[in-house]
Amino acid sequence: MLFIVSAPSGTGKTTVVERLVKVTDRLRLSRSYTSRAPRGDEQDGVDYNFVSRARFEKMIADGEFLEWADVFGNLYGTRTSDTSRCLQSGDDVVLVIDVQGARKVRGAGLPHVAIFVLPPSYDVLEQRLRGRSKDSEDAIRRRLQVARGEVSAFEEYDYVVINDELESCVERIKGIVLSERARLACVRDKALEIRRTFDRH
């Protein structure tokens, strides 16, 4: 199954999903590509696949992305082949993508479960953005302005989870993943196989 997790910048979606994949069996995080430079101790191939803008634009032209978006002047995208490889391995895959990217996946008609993570309030989001100390004042204002529009998109998603506390947020999303795995469409083949064992008696 393909899961999408979106949230306004600063909500903590990447931290939440990194924790989620550690505590949930058979769930893999799809590593995005980006044209921006690494920040702090970020590592290529671990945090993101860092590529030049020219390389990223060529990948767009070659149709390599399931979705991609321009976020505050930097390009981010999910490579179709990477997602397919993860799904074919038998694991579920989670994409951490913004509202733009989620709309592109939805538009492509790819079956997925979409989860939107909300901050507890505007004030809390502002505190988190300022607490990161990574951005200039102008950048923080820009992120808050974009967040105002993104928050309204929660109605496009299947589930909404509030990130008021990390561990409880992770547990709620894990519950969604486990519930979705129990849907009839996911377990029908296994259930039929079990029923056949009864038919033989």
Side-chain angles (χ1 to χ4, degrees), residues 10-197:
T11 303
K13 60 185 178 294
T14 302
T15 302
V16 166
V17 173
E18 285 174 348
R19 177 75 182 131
L20 176 69
V21 298
K22 285 179 180 174
V23 299
T24 310
D25 292 338
R26 298 185 299 105
L27 183 66
R28 294 171 63 179
L29 173 60
S30 175
R31 192 182 305 109
S32 298
Y33 285 74
T34 182
S35 66
R36 73 163 172 77
R39 295 177 187 145
D41 58 358
E42 287 180 334
Q43 297 177 27
D44 181 41
V46 176
D47 299 284
Y48 287 94
N49 293 309
F50 293 99
V51 297
S52 67
R53 191 175 186 93
R55 165 88 192 285
F56 197 109
E57 288 171 347
K58 184 175 189 311
M59 292 172 76
I60 294 172
D62 292 342
E64 293 188 40
F65 288 115
L66 171 63
E67 61 79 29
W68 67 272
D70 185 324
V71 182
F72 304 114
N74 295 306
L75 303 175
Y76 294 82
T78 305
R79 197 177 192 176
T80 305
S81 60
D82 292 350
T83 304
S84 298
R85 195 178 308 112
C86 288
L87 292 170
Q88 287 165 7
S89 74
D91 289 340
D92 294 328
V93 179
V94 58
L95 306 181
V96 181
I97 55 179
D98 71 352
V99 170
Q100 296 178 67
R103 285 171 179 158
K104 287 180 180 176
V105 174
R106 201 173 295 121
L110 197 63
H112 66 278
V113 176
I115 303 163
F116 196 86
V117 180
L118 278 171
S121 69
Y122 178 92
D123 289 341
V124 170
L125 180 62
E126 183 175 15
Q127 287 168 14
R128 288 178 182 173
L129 284 170
R130 294 189 184 285
R132 296 195 314 187
S133 302
K134 291 180 179 177
D135 298 314
S136 66
E137 182 62 27
D138 283 348
I140 289 170
R141 285 203 194 105
R142 197 164 65 248
R143 289 182 188 279
L144 288 168
Q145 183 63 41
V146 170
R148 285 190 186 95
E150 288 183 328
V151 162
S152 301
F154 75 85
E155 297 193 59
E156 300 172 21
Y157 288 71
D158 302 305
Y159 297 91
V160 176
V161 177
I162 299 167
N163 185 13
D164 46 4
E165 192 276 323
L166 177 62
E167 290 303 324
S168 60
C169 179
V170 170
E171 282 302 310
R172 287 194 289 271
I173 298 177
K174 181 180 178 180
I176 292 168
V177 172
L178 298 181
S179 295
E180 287 293 331
R181 287 176 176 175
R183 282 187 181 272
L184 178 59
C186 295
V187 296
R188 180 186 293 276
D189 290 346
K190 183 64 178 176
L192 288 171
E193 184 182 315
I194 292 169
R195 190 179 71 182
R196 282 193 289 273
T197 69

